[in-house]
Amino acid sequence: MYNEPIISDQREAGAHGTVSLVVPALNEARNIAWVFDQIPACVDEVILVDGDSTDATVPMAQHCLPTVRNVRQRGPGKGNALRTGFLEAKGDFVVMMDADGSMSPAEIPHFVHFLEHGYDFVKGSRFVAGGGSLDITLIRKMGNHVLLLAANRLYHASLTDLCYGFCAFRRSFLDQLDLHAAGFEIEAEMIVHALRSGLRIAEVPSLELPRRSGCSNLHAISDGRRVLRTLLSERPGARPSSARSSSARPERSPS
């Protein structure tokens, strides 16, 4: 949607910042080593948000990366895990990615580059030139297309991908993102809140890889309905998210 970096006086080109990587995980012991072994040098801290895994996810993560910060998820769902991790992050930039090996950490510097050159929110796209997917099913592709059309119509945008959770943003805009979703719909919530807040958004090409092992927790139909409800409830003119119950948010841990 936005192809060239936009620079303002407040967002100086080439201004470097520290990077926090937030990785939600539930029973990903067989995948986490591949992910952690490829984390690039630009990442300053890694936060693993564990959803009460019953396998060796946490010990494996600590073995691969002794400096990892392990955080216990404070409620059910991917959205809750991400919000928990975001509140723990200390970096200027926050990157989120899955622990199943479907997203390559080698792409993180590309996301960071756009944050360092004037953008506030950067999202991966499988459907922009240079991106792709080796894993998407026909029903997921059709569902994403329908939801994408709805998002672009409701929010007057020109996005190329919606339901993909490889994103990065300036931590200083976390309050503007105003996140409260509990499940997979948090990815759509982040995007529409960034659009509504007027954040400078860039889409960058990303290649979705097959999950390395195990089964996905995503349920295409039920989670698709949740995304659609999010798009409709968050649209301009609907009840603002700030009026929703604050009980959906994880509490910030004392510093």
Side-chain angles (χ1 to χ4, degrees):
M1 51 183 297
Y2 302 104
N3 296 318
E4 297 295 331
I6 302 174
I7 312 302
S8 70
D9 292 338
Q10 290 80 20
R11 300 175 177 87
E12 182 181 355
H16 299 286
T18 54
V19 179
S20 297
L21 175 61
V22 176
V23 183
L26 177 63
N27 296 327
E28 298 287 3
R30 290 182 291 173
N31 302 319
I32 201 73
W34 182 89
V35 176
F36 277 21
D37 284 346
Q38 298 190 64
I39 293 175
C42 68
V43 174
D44 297 281
E45 70 167 354
V46 179
I47 300 170
L48 177 71
V49 186
D50 181 59
D52 290 327
S53 295
T54 56
D55 66 1
T57 295
V58 173
M60 182 63 73
Q62 292 172 328
H63 172 75
C64 296
L65 188 67
T67 59
V68 66
R69 291 177 55 200
N70 296 305
V71 177
R72 179 67 63 87
Q73 186 171 338
R74 298 173 187 154
K78 182 179 182 179
N80 184 280
L82 286 170
R83 291 185 289 115
T84 299
F86 295 161
L87 291 177
E88 294 287 340
K90 307 298 183 185
D92 300 303
F93 307 141
V94 180
V95 182
M96 54 183 267
M97 66 179 300
D98 294 344
D100 59 6
S102 63
M103 302 167 183
S104 173
E107 295 181 358
I108 291 176
H110 194 38
F111 287 72
V112 174
H113 170 82
F114 278 81
L115 292 174
E116 291 177 339
H117 286 78
Y119 286 95
D120 307 311
F121 188 94
V122 183
K123 59 182 294 293
S125 172
R126 298 162 292 179
F127 306 115
V128 73
S133 176
L134 304 178
D135 185 57
I136 195 167
T137 62
L138 179 60
I139 189 169
R140 284 177 55 213
K141 188 173 183 178
M142 292 174 58
N144 183 76
H145 181 67
V146 170
L147 293 169
L148 178 65
L149 290 176
N152 283 336
R153 176 66 64 88
L154 290 170
Y155 296 91
H156 307 288
S158 54
L159 301 170
T160 63
D161 202 349
L162 182 68
C163 303
Y164 188 52
F166 204 167
C167 300
F169 59 91
R170 293 176 179 269
R171 187 169 62 89
S172 58
F173 287 108
L174 183 58
D175 287 343
Q176 279 68 36
L177 291 177
D178 188 28
L179 303 174
H180 52 77
F184 283 91
E185 71 276 10
I186 192 170
E187 297 157 3
E189 181 185 55
M190 293 180 73
I191 294 167
V192 299
H193 283 191
L195 288 167
R196 281 180 26 178
S197 297
L199 301 189
R200 295 179 174 185
I201 303 173
E203 285 190 310
V204 299
S206 180
L207 176 62
E208 181 183 33
L209 304 170
R211 163 183 272 272
R212 296 188 65 81
S213 65
C215 298
S216 172
N217 294 313
L218 175 69
H219 301 284
I221 295 178
S222 59
D223 287 321
R225 288 173 179 163
R226 291 168 69 104
V227 170
L228 180 59
R229 284 198 296 268
T230 297
L231 295 177
L232 295 174
S233 64
E234 302 293 337
R235 70 191 186 278
R239 184 162 61 103
S241 58
S242 59
R244 301 175 190 274
S245 172
S246 60
S247 62
R249 303 183 181 209
E251 296 181 359
R252 188 182 298 272
S253 60
S255 55

